[in-house]
Structure formats: structure tokens, C-alpha cells
Amino acid sequence: MQETCNMTSPTTVSHVAGEEILSWAAKDESGHLAPLKISRRPTGPQDVRLKVMYCGICHSDLHQITNDWKNSSFPMVPGHEIVGVVTEIGLDVECFKVGQHVGVGCMVRSCHACDSCQLGLEQYCPKVVWTYNSTDTADGTPTQGGYSAVMVCNQRFVLRMPPNLPLDASAPLLCAGITVWSPMKYFGMVEQGKHLGLVGLGGLGHMAIKFAKAFGMKVTVFSSSPGKEKEAREILGADNFIITKDNEKMKNAAKSIDYIIDTIPSAHCLDPYLALLKTNGKMVLLGVSTEPVQISVYSLIFGRHFVGGSLIGGIAETQEMLDFCGAHNITCMIEKIPITYTNSAMDRLMKSDVKYRFVIDIENSLKE
Amino acid sequence: MAPASAAATEVEVTAWAAKDTSGHLAPFTFSRRATGPGDVKFKVLFCGVCHSDLHQIHNDWGGSLYPMVPGHEIVGEVTEVGSEVKAFKVGEIVGVGCMVNSCQTCDPCTRHLEQYCLKKVIWTYSDKDYDGTLTQGGYSTIMVCKQEFVLKIPTNLPLDAAAPLLCAGITVYSPMKHYQMDVSGKHFGVVGLGGLGHMAVKFGKAFGMTVTVFSTSPAKEKEAREVLGADHFIVSKDPEQMKAAAGSIDYIIDTVSASHPLDPYLSTLKLDGKLVMVGIPEKPLSIHAFSLTSARRFVGGSGIGGIKETQEMLDFCGEHNITCIIEKIPISYINTAMERLGKTDVKYRFVIDIGNSLKSEN
């Protein structure tokens, strides 16, 4: 949903035929990324064309280039935390202008007619088209993501980046940020003074801390890595840090937490975390694993707890989140890398060896 | 209102109890405390047989205290009230459910959620009260209970069929209210058609919802539709039927205590759908996170209900003439009833006719 905007006449539609764009792609499920030229459509009446400046590396990129979820099509140009500058807009585009900084997240199309779309929850549309590794329903072509010099995207899925925020550190807001923001809002995990527990301190987790502190909550981090404590407290602002293997501390923290955000991307038992919740406490699962999690029903019943799930966020709420970040100066902690480092970055990401998101400097490193 | 009697002695109670984990119930006598200033004493008329009774006499959950007089769906007639009791009077029909005490001062207690008392909620049986006494339940001739945990039974409801409301009824009513699964016109699913399940169907219809029953027993369909008013019936072992129901249901209450996969039921939920467990499987359940994240669903739990909402539920049942479908039995049948309950062979709750079959030995 676009706000009213002040626009003078848009630029003309490109008449250039499908342009060949330099990108990096995985050719098979080895996941090895290498240069590849891909075709992008000419800028249609509803399209925004942008020169990509930065693209965040999401854990989903790693899952999909290695076909973890058994639904990958190759060649695959990953990347759905894309920030760039508009170079061209279609005739029907009124809310964006050339030279503006914009972003594209995880989706590039939906039906706009179903209940989910009407609710501004395009990510749950049965016909949603993902930014990469999907088939564009408009023309049947495979979608390709942001490890690429240029993006073309329907205006309804383009977002305004806050002008005061550094663009590189804003890119991961487009997936990591919204993936945490959306359930915090929907499940009512936003009350000032409440106590949020964060399980797993990575790309999603560090955003949860930042939002929670912005909402005025107390934050305890539950992590298996002692090395993350100093930074969690001093830079991210966490109030407490508990090592999950420390049974004493976990026991003492029982029934002390209002909300838990669980970002662990692998199978695990939820009971030790559910025990931390107060009566009526809530947990949200954001990590996606192909293996199931385990829950003892006692953990839900004795305390009237629930465990919910959530998937990214709709476009309107992504814009709302970006505007909030602009107003509160919230960005991500990143490690900026050239495109040539991407394979090493993926290796390190597999070991969670990054604080807390890699962002590819596309503009300065993806060249012929 | 009758004043407190002069009796200051304990009272001898005739009951049936389990002595060990065999769960065999047999006659037993014990003492209850004298009626204190805040107590209500009543002659037990009926007591429902809850599946928890079966679990606890066998120590399935650990922590069982013997000798154990089970029973927490207790209805009877007041015979004496303490000097500080204003809300109840002799001759009145009252009930006691799953709890008989709590700290009354912690946050959950002050919010009328005594079952979540942070200090210790005291269960009606197989528990140690704050004064150290072993609590004993309603398979007995007399109950003595603190007034804060005594409930008024609507006068228009048949008492035997009202008894199971005190556990089965509230266990389903409470989450339906708390999780807002009570919106007219919505589609409500019930997994498992037993004591809890049949109440969920009744409340679902009373709230104006379309109700689908999920059951492993095709034989339950006729009654589910014709007697309980369910609109649809799905045999959960039939993958075709389950698939056809994908994304069609707003809320599900799952009453099944046996281990079972949740993902197939989660798949039947719409966007923002809710599944609440009220059955308590012993072993952990597995859930694929994708079942939740793919449509922003949640899985919650709920245990019985607080006293205030139990009274609210009873009043609602009085207004809408809702009671349970029961099989009334004499106390001497209880061991057979427990065996049948173990095979879910009952429609849908056994209720012991205590008044007519358990005579005081004094």
C-alpha cells in the first residue's frame, strides 16, 4: 500500500529488450556461487528498475543454494535483502522516482485478491512469488535475486528506504528485520516493561534485541555461545545473558519471561524454554528446520502458553518497520564483503560465524 | 442462612480409594477436618469420573499419593457452613472441581487463575494441602472445602449431568474464551470425542460456530451429528479426508491424551489458526516449525480454569441448558468403569451416583 506521494511526471518506459545482467549464481546443489549473466525483463508499466548497491546474505540463501528444502531450481541467483537506487520507472509508477533509494525483500508478486493479500499479508498468498527460486506468474520465468547488478520489480513490492539510515546496514531489515518485527506486532510482544527472552543470537536474534529495546522491554539472551555475551550487553543492549547449558541459571530464570523469540534454525526441544515463561507467556518460532521440534504438552498446559510461527511480513508492515527504524535509528550489525568473498561467507554462515549479517557490496564489487 | 454448628470435631467419611499403582479401588474410611469458619461442608450426591482419575490412580504422571480417593467433579447438598461463609447456605446445591486451595495473593490468584498459582495450587485429591493434610476427592460421602473453591450449580440443570462440567466443561470452556475461539460463524474443530470433546462440540454449537469433529472412530459419527449437533465428521486416519479439509478451520481444541502427530491437524487450520491442547499426552509431541510458520498458526495449552470462570461457565450452561452426556453408575461399578474408560468405552462421562450407592458406615 503506497502512501500519497508528490510526483512530477515519471520517466519513460524502457524500450530495451531483456537486458543481460551480471550476477552470481549457484549452478547446482553444491551451492558454489560463480559469475553468471542473466536476463531481466524490460521495465514494464508497473515496474521499478534499480541498480543494486547492497544485498544481505540470509540463512535462507544458504539453505536454498544447497537444496536443503528440496525445492531448488538452478541456476539460482539468491538474495532477498536488496537495496539500490532507482534508474527507471514504468508509466504507471507514481510513488517512486529515479535516484531514490529503495529496497526489495522476499517477495515480488502476489494475487492481490485473496484474503491474505487483502489483509496485507502477501507472504501467505497461495500464489506468492518469491524473489528468487520461484516462478513469476506474470511470464513463467524463474525469479532471480539480489546478488545481481540490477533488479526489476513490480512497484507494489518495492519499499522506500529511510533516507537517514546507512544503506548497507539497512539491507538486512528487508528479511531479518521484518521476520522479527511482524510476529512481535501480531502476537502482541511489544509492551513496554515486559521481559523478552531471545533464544539464538544471529541475524534474526540481534534484530529482536534491537526492537525489544526500542519498545522499552527488558531483554535476556539465551545462547550456547559465551563469546557473544559482551557484545550482546554492550553493543546490542541486552540486560541479561544466560548460557543455555547452565542448568542453575536456567532454573533460576523459570517463569520470569513474558515473551520468547526462538530463532534456532535446527531441531530442538522447546520445553526448557517454555519453562522460562510466566503464566500466559508466548513463544514464537522463527527458525525453520526440516526436522521437527519437540514439545511436551505439560509445558503448554501448565502456564497456558502458546507457541506460534510466523513468516517474514507483508509489504505494508515492512514499510511500517522501515519507517520505525528510520525514526529510531535502528539498523543491523553487518560485515560488509565483496562479491568474491561470497563462497567463504557461506562457509562461515554455516558455522554461524558472523556478527550478525554479511552484506555484499554489490555496487563496488560486482563488475565485469 | 444457618450459622455454624457447634461441631468442632473431624468427620468420618466413607469413600472408595486406590491403595497403590494397581489402581484398584475399594471401600475406605478416613477423616475430614471439622468445618472451619471459611468452610462449606456438603453431602456428596454425584461425582464424575475424569480420565485424570484413571491416570492418577495408576501414577501415570508420577507424584501420586496413596491412599487416594479420586474425584474432582463433585456435586452435593450443603449440610453446614462456617461462621464466615455468606455466599452459601444449608440445603443449597454446590460443586467442587479440581482445586481446593491456593495462596490467593499471587498475580495469577488475584487474576482468578488459581490453577496457575505461583506458590502452590492444591488439587482436590492426591495433593498435600498447606497444612500438610492429604487431600481426598469426591468418591466419598462428604466434602469439606474452603468457600473460595465452592461453586453454585444452576438450579435448572439435572445434577448428575452437571457434575462433569466441573472439570470436563471448564477445561474446554476456559481456552475457548481465553484464546477467543468463540466467535459466531467461525469454523471450529474438535479432536477426540470423549468427555472433553463432546463438551467442546456443545459449546461450539452454543457459540454459533460450524463444528467439525476429528475422530479415529467412524462409529461415533452418527451420534456426533445427531445428538451433539456436529456439522462435519472427519476420520483422522483417512488421509484423503484430512487433505480435503486443508486450510478450512479457524480453531481446534485437541482433547486426545494419547501421543499423536499434530502436523496433520495444524494443516487443516487457516491463516492465523489456533490449536489448543487440553489432552495431556505423556510423551513429547513433534511439530514441524513449518506447520506454524507457513500460516502464522499457534499451538497453545490450557489447564482447567479458574474459579470465577468456572462459575461463569456454569451460569452459561444454566442459561443455555447445557449438560453432559453421562452414564450413571453405582460406586460398586467403578473398577469396571475404569477399565472401560481406559478403552474410551463410554458416552461420554461416567458419573457415580454417590448419594444412592455409597452409604455412610456410621
Side-chain angles (χ1 to χ4, degrees), chain A residues 54 109 125 164 180 209 212 223 256 328 334:
Chain A
Y54 301 104
R109 206 178 294 283
C125 169
N164 60 312
V180 166
I209 303 179
S223 172
S256 67
H328 291 84
I334 67 167

Side-chain angles (χ1 to χ4, degrees), chain A residues 115-116 119 121 123-124 182-183 186-187 255 269 271 279-280 285-298 300-311 317, chain B residues 60-61 108 111 113 115-118 123 174 178-179 271-272 277-290 292-303 309:
Chain A
D115 286 346
S116 301
L119 287 169
L121 298 170
Q123 74 273 34
Y124 301 117
S182 179
Y186 175 69
F187 289 112
K255 298 195 182 173
C269 180
D271 296 330
T279 300
N280 293 334
L285 283 187
L286 298 179
V288 180
S289 162
T290 47
E291 295 305 309
V293 295
Q294 313 290 323
I295 307 180
S296 292
V297 177
Y298 295 110
L300 296 176
I301 287 183
F302 293 103
R304 197 160 65 178
H305 303 136
F306 76 71
V307 178
S310 181
L311 186 66
E317 61 178 342
Chain B
D60 282 351
W61 299 334
R111 288 196 288 144
L113 296 169
Q115 73 274 35
Y116 302 119
C117 174
L118 294 176
W123 306 118
S174 177
H178 173 69
Y179 289 109
L271 173 65
D272 296 339
M277 301 290 305
V278 293
I280 316 184
E282 280 166 48
K283 300 202 175 70
L285 301 183
S286 293
I287 301 178
H288 281 89
F290 186 72
L292 300 175
T293 59
S294 63
R296 201 162 67 175
R297 304 167 176 137
F298 74 68
V299 178
S302 181
E309 61 178 341

Side-chain angles (χ1 to χ4, degrees), chain A residues 50-271:
Chain A
L50 52 136
K51 183 176 86 160
V52 178
M53 295 169 66
Y54 301 104
C55 188
I57 297 186
C58 177
H59 212 117
S60 314
D61 297 352
L62 178 56
H63 283 301
Q64 295 194 81
I65 59 177
T66 50
N67 198 21
D68 271 356
W69 300 337
K70 306 294 177 222
N71 63 358
S72 295
S73 293
F74 298 98
M76 181 194 304
V77 176
H80 55 206
E81 296 180 340
I82 312 164
V83 170
V85 61
V86 178
T87 55
E88 189 175 2
I89 55 174
L91 275 176
D92 296 340
V93 174
E94 291 183 352
C95 288
F96 299 100
K97 53 186 199 265
V98 170
Q100 185 175 0
H101 289 126
V102 296
V104 172
C106 304
M107 311 177 275
V108 291
R109 206 178 294 283
S110 73
C111 82
H112 301 301
C114 69
D115 286 346
S116 301
C117 284
Q118 297 289 311
L119 287 169
L121 298 170
E122 297 88 352
Q123 74 273 34
Y124 301 117
C125 169
K127 297 188 180 150
V128 67
V129 178
W130 308 118
T131 299
Y132 67 89
N133 194 31
S134 207
T135 302
D136 195 342
T137 42
D139 58 11
T141 57
T143 53
Q144 301 288 10
Y147 296 15
S148 178
V150 171
M151 272 298 288
V152 181
C153 183
N154 183 287
Q155 61 173 332
R156 294 176 82 155
F157 291 86
V158 177
L159 296 133
R160 296 183 304 278
M161 299 308 290
N164 60 312
L165 297 182
L167 292 174
D168 50 3
S170 307
L173 293 173
L174 294 161
C175 180
I178 187 58
T179 296
V180 166
W181 170 274
S182 179
M184 288 180 81
K185 288 294 219 167
Y186 175 69
F187 289 112
M189 299 171 148
V190 297
E191 261 187 76
Q192 188 172 7
K194 296 287 187 182
H195 191 170
L196 179 107
L198 170 68
V199 180
L201 185 48
L204 295 180
H206 94 291
M207 288 316 303
I209 303 179
K210 290 193 171 219
F211 287 137
K213 294 313 291 177
F215 293 143
M217 297 196 271
K218 182 174 158 189
V219 177
T220 295
V221 174
F222 297 89
S223 172
S224 53
S225 323
K228 292 185 175 178
E229 177 165 4
K230 192 173 190 308
E231 200 163 83
R233 287 181 183 273
E234 293 175 15
I235 299 184
L236 295 170
D239 301 278
N240 283 320
F241 190 98
I242 292 179
I243 299 292
T244 44
K245 288 179 204 167
D246 185 336
N247 291 332
E248 251 333 279
K249 292 225 171 98
M250 288 291 279
K251 205 168 147 196
N252 291 338
K255 298 195 182 173
S256 67
I257 308 244
D258 295 287
Y259 324 124
I260 291 180
I261 295 193
D262 181 344
T263 67
I264 300 178
S266 54
H268 57 291
C269 180
L270 300 189
D271 296 330

